[in-house]
Amino acid sequence: MKSKIFNKIKKAYLLAIVAAFVLGNGLLLAPKVFALTYLVKPQIILTNMNATGSSSVIIEFTTSASNTGTSLSLTFTGWTGGAAGSVNTVQPVSANYNSIACTAITGASSYLPGVPAATGSGATVTFSGITTLTASHSYCAVLSSATAVTNPTVVNSYPAVLTSGTDAASGVAVDVITNDQVVVTATVPPSFTLVVGSNTDAFGTLSTIAANASAGVTCTLSTNGTGWYLYGIDSNAGLTSANTSHTIPALTFGTNKTISAGTEDYITGLPSGSTTPGTGGGSVTLPAAYSSSGLGNGAGLGNTQLRNLASYTVGPTSGATVVVKEFTSITGTTPAATDYTDTITLVGAGTF
Amino acid sequence: MGYRSTKNLAIFTSLQLLIISVAVGLVSATGIPSGVHGITVSPALQQISIPRGQPSYTFNTGLANNTSQTVVVQLSARDFTGLNESGAISFLTPQKSNSNVHSLAQNITFELSQFVLTPYQTTTVPITIVNANELSNGGHYAAIIYKVTSAPVHGISNPVSVNEAVSSLVFVTTIGTGTQSLALQYASIGDISLTFPNTVNLVLTDKGNTQTVPTGVVQITNANNAIVSQTEINTTSNLILPQFSREFKISLTSYKFNPPTGYYTFKFYYKTPAQMGYSLYEKKFIFISRQAVILAVVILVLLIVLIAQRVKSIARINPRDKYSA
């Protein structure tokens, strides 16, 4: 009788132990072995990884084959405030970071479905407003505030936990480093371009009764520096004919004058109405000596020194133009020839 | 009929050939190329520091032929000096170059003094400064001139040939041998101003023997020493040649709108790269605002009116006094 009672008690204990084992297996062990699903390749991006810095957060994950949940939360483990790092309570959610779609940044297929919103509490950001997730689908979202999180002051790799729908919580790591910025420097050297429209400037047949003007040569000047100067020098100090060994001389240098028919003279002038400043605006300056009305006034260049013909000191410009013209007058006794010639060299320089 | 059409065809073809041959003849006679002759030099200016005692120094400049023509470029070096206060140069004649203590042209050599640039070609031109250890103390500078030589012109009566050249300015300092010293020559700030200064002209002179890049800050402060307006000078790193002056036209950025009438202080902090601290120029001035001027005018007008009325009333009283007397 006594042993029967003992056996009954023993059976009851055994049943209880078996029941406890079955219950424990069902609740704790079995789900992890058989039924649990996981997020695929979750990632958390801090847009500013600097220690002590604040950052927006970009989230990306792929649901498992059975996850059709509607929840999402992100916990920065240990970011409880102050030097340990913190999570802002106000968490605007966006599909973009700096106007770039999170899908483009992360490669995810789509932004979170529904009208996602989020709030921060402690170290956790909890999302709401997400509609049913699609299984085996990659999603992204941006906690767009520049102060969504404040990074810890100590450089380290910190754990975070991302939980979504029916999938198990997934651990990820975020790095906080000393400096995540690379300062890029570059120097653009000043450059200068001179375009001379033509290498020849013909007078044609010279007249004894009026001042003769050449067609003129257009010079186009460009610089990314602070300005430019144009200089000129004459090789012959006049129009020289090899056939007659005669030179129509430049009578004065560097002083503005108007030539007159009946006197041999040869000068250079830049018509003031033909200058343009290019893209830099402002105006081209013509020195008094070489500023011309275009009607036979200017100054001799000479062959001893480069003389300033024009300048522009406003700043960078492209396509500024000046026209360089020559004027000459002859007498009735100037020896006839068709080979009167001269060579002018125009030198452009940037300002210093 | 067949004969006539053949004859017409022959005449037409002959005319066409004649026109083409005349056109080709004209083009070849003028020798005028169809394209433009633009060339670009970069850098247009460069500063070089040569360690003391180093005998030579080689540096590069870039040259680009932007045209569809092959061009021949001749290299030369020429000394220059300052022309005015705006950064212009004056090329020196060989005679003046010899007496120039900042001369550099004679120390410049080229691997090739002449080379060809094919259409749209860019090339690097190495340039060497020789006998650098024999340069006198202080700064030295010269222009490298790249001259595009033109083919002789035929077939045009009385032509003027035009050569083009671009230059690259080279400024050399020999480390440890130069002195840089700035002096303010002029500041366009008066004692009394009826408009608050928003642009100021400053003229600085380099009293040293080396070219320098001045830096500095201009401030206008009120009686409480609060900054009313401010700006930085020479943000484009312009140079001042030794013993030359340079004008800086600056625009001030205002931090307070409609400054009231009162005493203000113009402060100019300036220095050379070699200086540790800034030199300071200060000038106090009185600014009288437009509102104050209007108020003064109104008070003046009222005073005049009051005085006029007073004079009138005295004039009315006086005759009686006269008669009573």
Side-chain angles (χ1 to χ4, degrees), chain B residues 215-218 230-235 250-253 268 278:
Chain B
T215 54
V217 175
V218 171
Q230 177 175 294
T231 198
E232 197 179 342
I233 71 151
N234 200 20
T235 52
I250 57 165
S251 296
L252 288 151
T253 305
F268 178 32
Y278 283 99

Side-chain angles (χ1 to χ4, degrees), chain B residues 134-171:
Chain B
E134 294 173 10
L135 289 170
S136 60
N137 287 353
H140 293 265
Y141 32 87
I144 313 295
I145 296 177
Y146 305 86
K147 180 180 169 186
V148 177
T149 58
S150 306
V153 179
H154 303 290
I156 300 177
S157 46
N158 307 324
V160 176
S161 297
V162 181
N163 289 325
E164 69 177 295
V166 289
S167 64
S168 176
L169 310 182
V170 181
F171 298 87

Side-chain angles (χ1 to χ4, degrees), chain A residues 189-206 217 223 226 229 231 233 239 266 304-306 308 313 326 337-352, chain B residues 32-33 35-45 66 78 83-84 86-91 93 145 147 150 153 156-167 169 171 236-239 241 246:
Chain A
S191 63
F192 176 78
T193 303
L194 171 63
V195 180
V196 176
S198 174
N199 287 129
T200 54
D201 193 12
F203 275 110
T205 303
L206 300 179
V217 170
T223 183
T226 55
Y229 275 76
Y231 305 84
I233 191 167
L239 277 171
Y266 175 63
T304 56
Q305 66 183 91
L306 282 156
N308 176 218
T313 56
E326 281 72 47
T338 58
D339 67 337
Y340 282 99
T341 187
D342 182 31
T343 299
I344 288 173
T345 300
L346 299 172
V347 181
T351 55
F352 61 84
Chain B
I32 300 171
V36 291
H37 294 261
I39 50 174
T40 300
V41 63
S42 181
L45 69 90
N66 310 311
R78 194 145 183 175
L83 178 68
N84 53 28
S86 63
I89 60 173
S90 173
F91 288 100
T93 58
I145 296 177
K147 180 180 169 186
S150 306
V153 179
I156 300 177
S157 46
N158 307 324
V160 176
S161 297
V162 181
N163 289 325
E164 69 177 295
V166 289
S167 64
L169 310 182
F171 298 87
T236 48
S237 300
N238 292 324
L239 285 157
L241 298 183
R246 179 135 194 181

